[in-house]
Amino acid sequence: MAQSSSSESLSSISAPTRQILALSGGVGGAKLADGLAQRLAPGRLAIVCNTGDDFEHLGLTICPDIDSVLYKLAGKNDIERGWGLAGESWTVMGALKKIGGEAWFNLGDLDLATHLHRTHLLRQGHSLTDVTRELATALGIAHAVWPMSDDPVRTIVKCDGGELPFQHYFVREQCHPAVTGFRFDGIDSARPHAGMMHMLESRSVEAIVICPSNPFVSVDPILNLPGVRAALKHCGAPIVAVSPIVGGQAIKGPAAKMMRELDMPASAEAIARYYGDLLDGMVIDQLDAAQAPAIEALGTPVRVAQTVMNSGEDRCMLADIVLSFAGSLKKPD
Ligand code: FO1
């Protein structure tokens, strides 16, 4: 027995497993997060989710970007809609509408269980991290899925006509208003997720993957948390972003429209410029291969690949490409 315990103790002091940190928001983020989760064992991957889209609605705390990752990794997400659960029904929403309740934000009957349980646990004082872990475990997910912070951060979209909370812009107004900028309420006092900061500060992170998510409303809320940019800069691991813009379009969501409204070309090159020297590499789609030289001229190495993910195989292929690209960019220790 002693022997096994000493050998166990020996193995336990071996070099800590270096992890991949994925920053995710929206549908595109969840897809690549799923590909990475298929390829990496639970101890090798941590997925940090944007919580700027979260909001209190009908007395419930709604966390769309966390749920997109949870449902995707559990294989229960609705492919068509890109959010929510497959096999959903809308009985409660129909009844709510009949009695004059707010029905602009569609909460499916199955999805409501998530919001009811999460809200109940949060009201009991559990952290969003613990609640997310409980939901992940219940969904059979072993990978670490973390909120970017346990403190509330709320994305406010500045438009010509004033400011809108994110879901009002995205769902109620269907992204029609022209954007002029963004604000993240609560971000100055929000503490970045402790697990993420530990990975970055202990240099136990092997690479950081910025998933193909909207840079303004899915990635910036994470990057702008106090101390995150500095921790990323000094963590010694390569940072690779996958362009969310393919052929001048966002695969899903308002990223391209927002870029045009912010006087930026809706291009992979403009995304590279936007992230600037934060990136050690960028993966762009084959459709945008002609932009590779201009991006490399910025000092950002490029890998051209199929970044559009329409299947589990696509998600794993892109994950493989991103991981091998990051490995080739390893920074000198
Ligand atoms: N998006 C919509 O376009 N319409 C909806 O009614 C809607 C409801 C909804 C409910 C729960 C949830 O987790 C997500 C939901 N989404 C809806 C998507 C959500 O607005 C976006 O996924 C993110 O906030 C942006 O990626």
Side-chain angles (χ1 to χ4, degrees):
M1 204 44 177
Q3 177 55 31
S4 67
S5 60
S6 61
S7 62
E8 265 163 24
S9 60
L10 273 178
S11 65
S12 66
I13 57 172
S14 60
T17 316
R18 288 161 68 84
Q19 288 187 292
I20 302 294
L21 183 69
L23 308 185
S24 172
V27 178
K31 285 183 175 179
L32 180 55
D34 182 52
L36 291 166
Q38 301 286 335
R39 288 300 202 231
L40 298 164
R44 291 263 292 126
L45 171 66
I47 301 160
V48 172
C49 302
N50 167 46
T51 58
D53 292 9
D54 296 6
F55 75 136
E56 315 309 314
H57 183 60
L58 302 174
L60 300 169
T61 300
I62 314 282
C63 305
D65 285 354
I66 289 175
D67 293 349
S68 288
V69 170
L70 291 179
Y71 293 164
K72 190 75 191 170
L73 265 62
K76 293 178 182 294
N77 69 306
D78 183 277
I79 310 279
E80 222 23 63
R81 266 181 275 116
W83 49 269
L85 289 163
E88 190 56 277
S89 56
W90 310 92
T91 310
V92 173
M93 284 309 291
L96 184 67
K97 198 165 184 161
K98 277 212 180 72
I99 58 173
E102 278 195 76
W104 58 271
F105 192 78
N106 294 302
L107 293 167
D109 300 323
L110 303 177
D111 191 33
L112 270 167
T114 300
H115 307 305
L116 289 167
H117 190 40
R118 171 168 33 229
T119 303
H120 177 60
L121 292 174
L122 288 172
R123 292 232 174 98
Q124 283 184 331
H126 297 285
S127 69
L128 185 54
T129 293
D130 291 347
V131 172
T132 305
R133 183 184 307 112
E134 169 136 351
L135 292 171
T137 305
L139 285 165
I141 296 166
H143 285 88
V145 179
W146 296 334
M148 67 186 199
S149 171
D150 282 331
D151 302 315
V153 177
R154 296 290 179 264
T155 297
I156 303 296
V157 182
K158 297 180 186 173
C159 312
D160 290 337
E163 294 187 340
L164 287 171
F166 181 78
Q167 295 301 342
H168 287 72
Y169 162 79
F170 188 87
V171 178
R172 207 184 59 186
E173 307 307 327
Q174 295 178 26
C175 305
H176 289 318
V179 307
T180 58
F182 308 93
R183 196 160 54 78
F184 306 122
D185 266 356
I187 198 155
D188 293 338
S189 54
R191 289 157 293 178
H193 190 275
M196 167 175 68
M197 296 309 276
H198 175 70
M199 277 175 69
L200 296 173
E201 289 160 356
S202 66
R203 297 170 74 90
S204 62
V205 60
E206 184 174 321
I208 294 99
V209 178
I210 299 181
C211 293
S213 306
N214 185 311
F216 312 115
V217 293
S218 292
V219 183
D220 271 352
I222 303 174
L223 298 179
N224 290 3
L225 284 163
V228 170
R229 281 183 189 276
L232 286 169
K233 209 169 179 63
H234 300 111
C235 72
I239 301 173
V240 173
V242 178
S243 175
I245 298 293
V246 173
Q249 302 288 327
I251 301 301
K252 192 164 175 67
K257 176 177 181 285
M258 289 176 168
M259 292 175 85
R260 286 191 294 274
E261 290 162 356
L262 296 170
D263 294 329
M264 297 163 72
S267 68
E269 181 187 345
I271 295 287
R273 285 182 188 282
Y274 184 72
Y275 282 128
D277 62 7
L278 173 75
L279 299 186
D280 296 295
M282 187 168 186
V283 180
I284 66 174
D285 193 82
Q286 289 139 351
L287 265 181
D288 299 314
Q291 297 177 38
I295 297 171
E296 299 205 321
L298 298 172
T300 304
V302 171
R303 182 66 56 92
V304 177
Q306 180 196 319
T307 63
V308 179
M309 297 170 275
N310 291 318
S311 68
E313 193 186 346
D314 290 348
R315 297 195 290 274
C316 289
M317 291 275 289
L318 183 56
D320 289 339
I321 288 163
V322 169
L323 292 171
S324 70
F325 184 37
S328 74
L329 297 167
K330 234 189 234 329
K331 293 174 162 174
D333 268 344

